């Protein structure tokens, strides 16, 4: 959210706090699909069932110690811009968020085939990272490592910000977001952890072909695998030797 400078008024701030804390009629409506942002106000919200995906860069601290800030900026911009572009190409995606070196998104998945579509997006992200690493190698830059996670559950979608300023954003809360973030931190964390981590509920809703690409990770109590996109990998095989 970009600042637009409005002089802070302490008295008005106290009044806004009272308005928010004393409002008992906040409407949190249940919805099987994700409503558009236009339906959100400061006094409502929606409980929705959705799929979340987190894509995190691993060992970013070591990268900070090795490369100049300008080099890091190029790496991060490449990773974030193209992961966002790929996720944004999914018709199931409702929201995309960027937090530091993490890109995460919320998908509208009322049907099981939507879950498989999100899984396919994760496979494309894996191949995208391989493509980026191919190009980084030619620049004599070490490859990046990411963890990808997919989970399904219930979340609360609300509008938050400075009422009357035009500065606001959508905030996602709930167990699925917290679980997704935690599970996502396991991807490629240790030698026994593969790149993609999938919750049990996601696994149970995948088709058999996708299930066969994963194995159970008893340490993390989820399924994991190294999956990729065949067409994207053909380019990698031809151009990254």
């Amino acid at each position: 959210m970009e600042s637009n400078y409005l002089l802070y008024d302490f008295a008005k701030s106290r009044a806004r706090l009272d308005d928010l804390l004393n409002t008992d009629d906040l409407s949190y409506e249940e919805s099987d699909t994700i409503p558009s942002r236009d339906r959100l106000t400061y006094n409502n919200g929606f409980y929705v069932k959705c799929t979340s995906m987190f894509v995190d860069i691993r060992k970013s601290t070591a990268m900070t110690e090795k490369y100049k800030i300008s080099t890091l900026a190029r790496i991060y911009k490449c990773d974030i811009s193209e992961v966002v572009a790929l996720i944004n190409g999914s018709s199931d995606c409702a929201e995309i968020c960027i937090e530091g070196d993490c890109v995460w998104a919320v998908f509208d998945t009322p049907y099981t085939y939507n879950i498989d579509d999100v899984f396919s997006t994760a496979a494309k992200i894996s191949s995208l990272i391989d493509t980026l690493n191919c190009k980084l190698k030619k620049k004599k830059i070490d490859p990046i490592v990411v963890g990808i996670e997919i989970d399904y559950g219930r979340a609360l979608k609300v509008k938050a910000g400075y009422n009357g300023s035009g500065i606001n954003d959508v905030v996602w809360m709930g167990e699925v977001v917290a679980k997704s973030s935690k599970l996502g931190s396991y991807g490629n964390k240790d030698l026994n952890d593969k790149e993609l981590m999938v919750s049990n509920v996601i696994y149970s809703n995948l088709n058999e072909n996708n299930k066969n690409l994963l194995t159970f990770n008893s340490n993390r109590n989820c399924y994991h695998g190294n999956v990729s996109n065949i067409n994207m990998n053909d380019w990698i095989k031809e151009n990254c030797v």
Side-chain angles (χ1 to χ4, degrees):
M1 295 178 288
E2 184 179 3
S3 170
N4 61 5
Y5 182 70
L6 291 175
L7 185 64
Y8 176 72
D9 187 316
F10 183 39
K12 290 182 178 179
S13 178
R14 298 197 306 273
R16 287 193 298 269
L17 290 173
D18 288 338
D19 286 342
L20 290 169
L21 293 173
N22 296 330
T23 301
D24 295 324
D25 59 348
L26 293 179
S27 172
Y28 294 146
E29 181 182 338
E30 296 280 352
S31 178
D32 291 331
T33 58
I34 300 175
S36 70
R37 287 181 171 222
D38 295 339
R39 294 182 60 188
L40 286 174
T41 70
Y42 287 105
N43 294 318
N44 74 349
F46 295 92
Y47 283 112
V48 298
K49 294 179 180 178
C50 58
T51 296
S52 63
M53 175 190 291
F54 278 71
V55 184
D56 275 311
I57 295 180
R58 296 276 88 93
K59 301 177 182 178
S60 54
T61 301
M63 292 171 58
T64 303
E65 295 171 351
K66 182 169 184 177
Y67 296 110
K68 297 187 297 184
I69 192 68
S70 58
T71 301
L72 283 174
R74 282 189 291 161
I75 297 171
Y76 279 41
K77 286 170 71 174
C78 286
D79 170 71
I80 292 171
S81 70
E82 297 315 300
V83 169
V84 168
L86 203 158
I87 293 174
N88 194 51
S90 168
S91 59
D92 298 322
C93 184
E95 298 276 349
I96 303 173
C97 306
I98 301 171
E99 295 181 5
D101 61 12
C102 172
V103 176
W104 67 279
V106 180
F107 297 81
D108 206 359
T109 53
Y111 306 106
T112 54
Y113 70 80
N114 298 125
I115 303 273
D116 286 303
D117 289 343
V118 177
F119 186 88
S120 176
T121 297
K124 291 176 183 177
I125 290 173
S126 178
S127 293
L128 170 63
I129 297 304
D130 289 341
T131 303
L132 172 58
N133 284 334
C134 167
K135 293 180 178 294
L136 290 177
K137 181 180 180 181
K138 294 177 181 179
K139 297 287 186 181
K140 301 188 185 305
I141 298 174
D142 289 344
I144 64 170
V145 177
V146 304
I148 308 170
E149 182 281 337
I150 311 173
D151 199 3
Y152 176 88
R154 189 166 175 259
L156 176 61
K157 179 181 182 180
V158 298
K159 181 178 182 179
Y162 176 5
N163 195 355
S165 70
I167 299 177
N168 58 74
D169 205 349
V170 170
V171 176
W172 291 86
M173 298 178 290
E175 184 179 7
V176 67
V177 177
K179 285 173 59 182
S180 298
S181 179
K182 181 178 180 180
L183 194 59
S185 68
Y186 295 147
N188 268 332
K189 184 174 183 179
D190 296 326
L191 290 176
N192 294 325
D193 295 322
K194 297 181 180 179
E195 183 178 62
L196 174 63
M197 296 283 172
V198 169
S199 70
N200 293 313
V201 65
I202 287 289
Y203 179 83
S204 66
N205 282 283
L206 291 172
N207 63 39
E208 290 303 316
N209 288 334
N210 287 334
K211 282 182 179 179
N212 290 334
L213 299 174
L214 304 172
T215 57
F216 186 68
N217 185 324
S218 57
N219 291 330
R220 310 301 188 190
N221 189 30
C222 68
Y223 288 83
H224 68 162
N226 295 318
V227 301
S228 57
N229 178 271
I230 294 174
N231 291 333
M232 295 173 72
N233 276 9
D234 286 343
W235 183 93
I236 295 168
K237 291 176 182 177
E238 292 176 6
N239 295 275
C240 304
V241 292

